[in-house]
Amino acid sequence: MEVALNSGMPNLRIQYFRGPVWGKTNDQLRKQIIEGNNPITGKPVMQEIIGHLTRPLTADEKKTGELNPGRGPAAFTGTPDELQQLFLDKRMTDFLPITLPTEDKVEEMLKATSHEPDEILGKMNPGSEAGDVWTYTVRDAAVNAVMAGAKPEYFPVILALGSTGTTPVNVSDNGFMAGAVINGAIREEIGLNSDIGAVGPYAHANTVIGRAWSLLAINGGNCGKVGTTYMGTVGNPVNLTNIIMAENEENSPFQPLSVRRGFKKGENIVTLFMGWGILSAKNWKANVWGSTMNYPQIIKDIYAQQDAMFGTIAVLSPPIADFVKDAGYDTVETFTEFVTDAGAAKPKPKIGGFGMRGGNFTVVVTGGSNNNYFMMGGMVPTVSVKIDDWR
Amino acid sequence: MKLRTAIISVLCLGLACSAGILGTQAYGQGKGAVEMPEITVLSPMGTPPPITLKAQAPRLDTLDGKTLYLVNTGFVGTERLMEVMTEWFAANHPKTTIVNKRNPSMDVPNKALWDEIHEKADAVILGLGH
């Protein structure tokens, strides 16, 4: 529907049937789709398709001209309770209570950047071709940052994320998620957690920055509307606050991710990720606990089990990173060569029309040193942005 | 009756003690609280682009004697769906000519194919699969 609307045909005749198509035998396709009924109207699918092709066009279907939906009212007035309800009713929230974005609070947020409030910060859509590209300003980002509960000192990071136009709330029925890794002194400056619980939700800066990014996507990029711009078949709970990681540079034996991506050490950089998510490496049988542990081989074995679409991310706690270094891998690059069998044949780059990133392997070091635990999953770095450009 | 009252009193006392031990603090103002004043907040919305409306293609009066292209855009499973759909047309609309084609990309229309469709097809069913 969103694609039809944005292609200029809001009344395009759409045929619904009991999906999905793929993975089914000819017999299943015949019974469930071709000889089946539209689950909404209850009428035979093929009868409706013939109707779509032969029924004369209505006046609405012949319409030309311009449709300008606009951004709606610039402000809303009411009691705090009424406004909380209004934001819910208009689906301008993530369903959690918000900090109401009064002009004073938004002005305070805007003081944290030298950029003009009316500057176009970015353009975003829900991903793929679903939905047209919306535009949002620095002020729009400030409003959403206030709603998320952000402190003004977080705002440059939120702007850096917003400037990429990358949605963390993707339309895909796969249920994609997003993450970001932050390097540089800003980690300490704004209180990002890079120690125990680093990827968990219980650190104000990490969680609120991630929430602000998702709220900006909902309101600035028309994302997260279940059934139209959010089609995750079973969804992804990470979409609420994303995974905002600060690398534990102080306890890592390796160069920070930002340096490995070409930036100077100490620069404040945020690197965006997209993928499926991460979970404890104990999830894989390759990670069997014993009296001595060969973590490089365990990571390699888990890597071998990963899907090619987003490649692999290893989020190593400092003790695991130390194990890797002690095994003779002085840099992430040499470790990556071992893990990915550099020079070996890579997975085929295309499956079902999607571009695959087979062979991609990323290491991030974060978390505490209270145990030999780590996480792995499917996430690929997309773009890195200088945070200080948004001060 | 007196015994029941005594038990209820003890329970109430217990609850009161628990509240004290837990350090419970009332945040709400309860009855008689002053009604909240109205405030004004800013909209968080971005700006959607204007949409140029397009008139849809005129419809056919019948499929009999017409040429219908079934285009598979390449998502896994679509080819099979089009195969079954072709069988259905053969059985139910034998006077319609069905032409099966494959667009090389899921996202980008192939110019040569669309030129051919403009020239030869009376209607198209585009199979997105999924």
Side-chain angles (χ1 to χ4, degrees):
Chain A
M1 282 193 296
E2 288 289 314
V3 175
L5 169 67
N6 296 310
S7 301
M9 291 182 280
N11 299 299
L12 187 70
R13 296 172 182 182
I14 294 171
Q15 182 61 47
Y16 294 97
F17 52 78
R18 187 179 158 200
V21 166
W22 69 287
K24 290 179 175 163
T25 63
N26 284 27
D27 197 43
Q28 286 172 316
L29 290 170
R30 189 176 300 110
K31 283 179 183 159
Q32 293 175 17
I33 297 175
I34 301 297
E35 294 171 2
N37 290 337
N38 178 333
I40 297 170
T41 64
K43 292 179 182 167
V45 166
M46 289 309 295
Q47 180 188 312
E48 288 191 336
I49 288 178
I50 300 303
H52 295 329
L53 294 170
T54 55
R55 196 175 62 251
L57 294 179
T58 64
D60 278 345
E61 288 170 334
K62 291 179 188 169
K63 262 188 191 165
T64 56
E66 192 136 295
L67 194 65
N68 200 340
R71 55 179 286 148
F76 305 97
T77 299
T79 67
D81 283 352
E82 287 168 348
L83 290 169
Q84 289 281 353
Q85 189 60 48
L86 180 140
F87 273 63
L88 276 170
D89 293 344
K90 288 185 174 288
R91 191 53 183 87
M92 297 190 297
T93 72
D94 50 13
F95 295 107
L96 295 179
I98 53 165
T99 300
L100 290 168
T102 59
E103 197 159 356
D104 286 351
K105 285 195 165 75
V106 173
E107 284 304 316
E108 199 59 33
M109 190 65 67
L110 286 166
K111 284 180 189 166
T113 182
S114 59
H115 289 259
E116 291 297 321
D118 291 327
E119 179 182 331
I120 301 291
L121 173 62
K123 291 172 180 288
M124 190 185 286
N125 83 347
S128 296
E129 313 79 37
D132 215 334
V133 178
W134 287 29
T135 304
Y136 46 86
T137 64
V138 169
R139 182 186 284 103
D140 296 333
V143 175
N144 283 282
V146 169
M147 287 167 61
K151 296 177 181 175
E153 54 264 40
Y154 306 165
F155 195 42
V157 183
I158 295 165
L159 288 174
L161 290 166
S163 72
T164 65
T166 302
T167 178
V169 186
N170 195 286
V171 66
S172 175
D173 35 16
N174 267 304
F176 298 151
M177 54 69 70
V181 173
I182 298 169
N183 289 106
I186 196 165
R187 294 166 304 130
E188 193 71 25
E189 189 186 313
I190 66 174
L192 284 160
N193 179 22
S194 62
D195 210 291
I196 291 175
V199 302
Y202 305 118
H204 194 265
N206 304 56
T207 295
V208 168
I209 287 170
R211 187 188 184 201
W213 187 17
S214 284
L215 283 173
L216 180 61
I218 290 169
N219 294 316
N222 191 27
C223 305
K225 314 294 168 17
V226 175
T228 55
T229 67
Y230 187 82
M231 297 297 293
T233 305
V234 294
N236 194 324
V238 175
N239 296 142
L240 191 64
T241 57
N242 309 300
I243 299 179
I244 306 297
M245 292 182 263
E247 218 176 7
N248 192 336
E249 297 178 25
E250 293 71 21
N251 291 320
S252 170
F254 302 125
Q255 291 281 24
L257 175 70
S258 56
V259 174
R260 287 183 267 131
R261 288 177 63 84
F263 296 92
K264 290 178 194 154
K265 192 163 187 174
E267 275 189 293
N268 293 319
I269 304 295
V270 59
T271 300
L272 281 66
F273 283 78
M274 189 177 175
W276 308 117
I278 52 174
L279 71 166
S280 168
K282 191 71 189 89
N283 179 67
W284 286 268
K285 280 185 178 176
N287 189 12
V288 177
W289 293 343
S291 56
T292 59
M293 298 296 288
N294 184 350
Y295 284 110
Q297 187 60 48
I298 288 168
I299 292 167
K300 184 182 173 84
D301 291 344
I302 293 174
Y303 168 83
Q305 296 295 315
Q306 291 292 114
D307 179 71
M309 187 182 280
F310 292 110
T312 303
I313 186 169
V315 180
L316 307 182
S317 61
I320 300 295
D322 287 340
F323 266 102
V324 171
K325 179 148 189 173
D326 290 347
Y329 304 104
D330 287 338
T331 64
V332 169
E333 287 74 19
T334 55
F335 181 49
T336 300
E337 281 178 23
F338 164 72
V339 169
T340 62
D341 282 327
K346 295 287 187 293
K348 293 281 182 192
K350 285 246 179 199
I351 300 173
F354 286 114
M356 298 287 156
R357 302 174 179 90
N360 167 68
F361 177 68
T362 308
V363 171
V364 174
V365 179
T366 193
S369 296
N370 48 327
N371 215 326
N372 291 336
Y373 294 154
F374 63 111
M375 301 186 92
M376 289 191 68
M379 286 168 67
V380 63
T382 56
V383 62
S384 296
V385 183
K386 290 183 179 181
I387 296 167
D388 291 343
D389 286 351
W390 293 97
R391 286 192 191 266
Chain B
M1 192 68 173
K2 276 185 182 173
L3 179 62
R4 184 181 294 172
T5 307
I7 291 170
I8 291 170
S9 300
V10 169
L11 284 172
C12 290
L13 188 60
L15 287 171
C17 288
S18 300
I21 291 164
L22 293 171
T24 307
Q25 187 180 350
Y27 285 94
Q29 294 179 7
K31 278 184 181 175
V34 180
E35 206 169 290
M36 296 297 284
E38 288 193 337
I39 57 171
T40 296
V41 297
L42 301 183
S43 167
M45 301 299 287
T47 305
I51 293 162
T52 304
L53 294 174
K54 294 174 195 157
Q56 294 180 32
R59 301 300 142 132
L60 306 171
D61 52 354
T62 176
L63 289 184
D64 288 351
K66 300 293 195 303
T67 300
L68 178 59
Y69 271 52
L70 303 188
V71 178
N72 164 18
T73 59
F75 195 93
V76 61
T78 312
E79 188 178 1
R80 192 171 284 163
L81 178 70
M82 291 312 202
E83 214 176 283
V84 178
M85 195 177 277
T86 303
E87 289 167 12
W88 185 90
F89 273 106
N92 294 277
H93 287 264
K95 292 179 184 167
T96 305
T97 303
I98 301 295
V99 179
N100 281 284
K101 290 284 177 178
R102 165 80 156 85
N103 196 71
S105 161
M106 274 177 25
D107 309 319
V108 186
N110 177 269
K111 188 178 179 314
L113 175 59
W114 284 96
D115 286 347
E116 180 185 328
I117 287 169
H118 278 292
E119 190 190 334
K120 297 180 180 171
D122 294 299
V124 182
I125 294 178
L126 199 62
L128 302 177
H130 229 252

